[in-house]
């Protein structure tokens, strides 16, 4: 692992997390700034309200080596018969290595275990696959999102069509 500390997010981190999130969105979609406002804001995971929520989740962390290198936003979700920890977002600074992503996922896995939650769910993205291998995750399926209304016109990801 890297020399980073993995600690829970706090309010003084919010501004840098928002900047990292915006930087990541611009890397993922070079036309990000030309998208409609509703699409730009819906792709970001770091509104003040969202960060306040994840600050209290006990499963959201930053990678910090005197500078925040990345973050993970995760929460415990009750499934009716058991809880799981659901990872919403993993975001790292440009040029940050896989070791930071692995460290962030490891922090979530440890926090889940420490709170007696024995499943951590996260999207099987290319960026998370090295961490998934390190954690010996079970690949169950991909992750799909149905966007409703006009948002479906500009939403990220590969749009699936009826067979």
């Amino acid at each position: 692992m890297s020399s980073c500390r993995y600690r829970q997010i706090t309010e003084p981190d919010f501004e840098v997390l928002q900047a990292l999130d915006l930087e990541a969105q611009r890397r993922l979609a070079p036309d990000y700034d030309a998208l409609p406002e509703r699409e730009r804001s819906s792709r970001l995971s770091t509104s003040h309200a969202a960060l306040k929520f994840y600050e209290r989740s006990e499963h959201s962390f930053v990678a910090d080596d005197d500078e925040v290198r990345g973050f993970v936003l995760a929460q415990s979700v009750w499934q009716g018969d058991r809880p799981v920890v659901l990872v919403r977002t993993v975001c790292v600074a440009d040029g940050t290595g896989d070791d930071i992503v692995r460290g962030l996922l490891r922090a979530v896995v440890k926090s889940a275990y420490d709170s007696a939650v024995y499943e951590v769910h996260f999207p099987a993205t290319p960026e998370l696959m090295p961490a998934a291998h390190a954690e010996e995750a079970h690949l169950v399926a991909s992750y799909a999102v149905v966007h409703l209304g006009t948002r479906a016109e500009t939403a990220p990801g590969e749009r699936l069509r009826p067979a």
Side-chain angles (χ1 to χ4, degrees):
M1 293 284 168
S2 72
S3 62
C4 279
R5 301 183 299 135
Y6 298 91
R7 60 172 176 77
Q8 291 188 341
I9 66 171
T10 61
E11 192 154 358
D13 298 317
F14 288 7
E15 191 174 312
V16 71
L17 300 184
Q18 290 168 334
L20 282 172
D21 192 12
L22 182 58
E23 171 192 316
Q25 294 308 316
R26 287 176 171 152
R27 276 195 320 267
L28 289 169
D31 65 339
Y32 175 83
D33 291 316
L35 293 170
E37 170 56 32
R38 73 180 185 329
E39 182 63 30
R40 287 192 316 268
S41 64
S42 67
R43 289 187 186 196
L44 296 170
S45 302
T46 53
S47 70
H48 186 77
L51 290 173
K52 288 301 287 180
F53 172 79
Y54 285 106
E55 178 185 31
R56 296 185 305 271
S57 77
E58 299 181 12
H59 301 294
S60 297
F61 298 91
V62 297
D64 182 352
D65 65 356
D66 297 327
E67 183 178 333
V68 174
R69 301 291 179 189
F71 64 91
V72 59
L73 302 178
Q75 64 175 310
S76 183
V77 177
W78 181 247
Q79 298 293 306
D81 59 351
R82 68 187 182 284
V84 301
V85 170
L86 177 64
V87 174
R88 174 183 179 183
T89 302
V90 177
C91 180
V92 296
D94 194 20
T96 301
D98 287 343
D99 57 330
I100 300 293
V101 176
R102 281 193 299 273
L104 287 165
L105 186 60
R106 170 96 303 257
V108 173
V109 168
K110 182 178 181 337
S111 74
Y113 185 82
D114 290 348
S115 61
V117 178
Y118 301 111
E119 289 183 34
V120 176
H121 294 227
F122 54 94
T125 63
E127 298 79 20
L128 280 170
M129 288 310 289
H133 283 277
E135 292 298 328
E136 298 183 25
H138 294 244
L139 188 60
V140 177
S142 300
Y143 191 77
V145 178
V146 175
H147 294 278
L148 304 175
T150 58
R151 172 103 197 290
E153 296 168 13
T154 55
E158 174 190 351
R159 187 167 189 174
L160 302 177
R161 302 288 181 184

